[in-house]
């Protein structure tokens, strides 16, 4: 099934990540202060209210994440509320929250059979390893990449070099007052 056919059937997988200007999604020491807003720095930018953000998040049916992202999210404070979340892992991890289920196996089956039957708006929220697997299998319909106004110099690369050339269609750009820029792309396929 092509991504366009999948879309006509209703499901959409959005890869959402925040990257530094130089393409890193995590620092070596895993600290996240670089993700904090530097304050209002870009006058022409927009800002969104908490209500708008909450409405947006409410429309997400399901999150998918790799086990390392899951473990880090638990350490930092679970950010996905009670929205269903699927953690991809080959390990037997202890259950932590009712909304979380673990998956091990073929990723195409996960998306095209298991998730597509239950959810429409599916968000893949990292990390780099799982995102690259999804992209190389053609399982991502949209990419939402938020660029933070910071150079990190080193860390974990979002697109670590395992991908092949593929064009994406720019759908939207939003520049925020805090200097972050969100780029939205749709698959051509
Ligand atoms: N800036 C951002 O927007 C952002 C977003 C998300 C995460 N992050 C950061 O990224 C880091 C984690 O990323 P990561 O690339 O190291 O790891 P990851 O993608 O979160 O998780 C990798 C793990 O997922 C499991 N996995 C991946 N593909 C699989 C498959 N096909 N079948 C079964 N299991 C599979 C494996 O788990 P097992 O080893 O358990 O088998 C693998 O070790 C963290 O520091 C996190 O905070 C940043």
């Amino acid at each position: 099934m092509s991504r366009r056919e999948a879309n006509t059937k209703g499901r959409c997988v959005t890869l959402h990540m925040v990257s530094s200007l130089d393409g890193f999604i995590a620092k070596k020491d895993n600290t996240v202060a670089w993700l904090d807003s530097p304050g209002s720095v870009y006058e022409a930018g927009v800002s969104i209210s908490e209500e708008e953000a909450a409405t947006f998040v409410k429309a997400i049916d399901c999150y998918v994440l790799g086990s390392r992202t899951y473990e880090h999210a638990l350490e930092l404070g679970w950010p996905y509320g009670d929205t269903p979340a699927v953690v991809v892992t080959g390990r037997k991890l202890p259950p932590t929250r009712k909304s979380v289920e673990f998956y091990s196996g073929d990723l195409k089956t996960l998306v095209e059979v298991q998730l597509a039957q239950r959810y429409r708006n599916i968000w893949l929220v990292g990390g780099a390893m799982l995102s690259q697997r999804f992209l190389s299998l053609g399982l991502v319909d949209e990419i939402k990449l938020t660029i933070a106004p910071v150079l990190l110099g080193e860390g974990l690369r979002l697109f670590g070099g395992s991908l092949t050339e593929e064009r994406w269609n720019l759908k939207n750009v939003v520049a925020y007052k805090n200097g972050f820029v969100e780029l939205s792309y749709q698959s051509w396929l």
Side-chain angles (χ1 to χ4, degrees):
M1 184 164 34
S2 75
R3 279 178 259 182
R4 201 168 292 285
E5 283 169 327
N7 277 343
T8 59
K9 289 188 190 249
R11 68 120 168 113
C12 178
V13 176
T14 300
L15 166 59
H16 180 256
M17 302 288 283
V18 184
S19 165
S20 67
L21 271 173
D22 48 347
F24 296 106
I25 62 156
K27 288 185 66 155
K28 275 193 170 163
D29 63 3
N30 241 352
T31 54
V32 292
W34 66 277
L35 289 165
D36 292 345
S37 164
S40 188
V41 293
Y42 180 54
E43 286 305 322
V46 300
S47 50
I48 53 168
S49 66
E50 280 184 17
E51 288 83 19
E52 285 169 320
T55 306
F56 187 80
V57 165
K58 236 180 162 174
I60 298 170
D61 297 321
C62 168
Y63 293 99
V64 179
L65 51 161
S67 69
R68 290 189 208 154
T69 296
Y70 166 68
E71 286 167 329
H72 199 206
L74 287 176
E75 267 173 52
L76 294 173
W78 189 246
Y80 308 114
D82 292 328
T83 303
V86 176
V87 175
V88 181
T89 179
R91 290 178 285 158
K92 277 257 168 285
L93 294 173
T96 47
R97 303 177 62 89
K98 272 193 180 151
S99 58
V100 171
E101 61 183 89
F102 298 105
Y103 178 86
S104 162
D106 180 57
L107 296 178
K108 259 182 183 286
T109 306
L110 169 66
V111 172
E112 291 171 1
V113 181
Q114 302 210 7
L115 297 181
Q117 280 174 2
R118 291 185 283 165
Y119 308 116
R120 292 168 73 90
N121 191 8
I122 300 161
W123 275 42
L124 170 63
V125 288
M129 185 191 286
L130 192 62
S131 301
Q132 286 169 33
R133 297 261 164 88
F134 264 65
L135 284 164
S136 51
L137 290 167
L139 295 174
V140 176
D141 304 299
E142 291 185 5
I143 297 175
K144 267 188 197 295
L145 185 58
T146 301
I147 308 292
V150 57
L151 291 167
L152 290 181
E154 59 176 9
L156 178 64
R157 285 213 174 271
L158 170 54
F159 301 123
S162 60
L163 300 171
T164 52
E165 182 173 331
E166 183 183 339
R167 289 193 185 267
W168 287 74
N169 199 5
L170 181 67
K171 298 303 283 184
N172 199 30
V173 178
V174 183
Y176 292 97
K177 277 206 185 310
N178 64 6
F180 285 63
V181 179
E182 186 186 82
L183 306 167
S184 300
Y185 298 90
Q186 209 165 46
S187 164
W188 280 99
L189 304 175

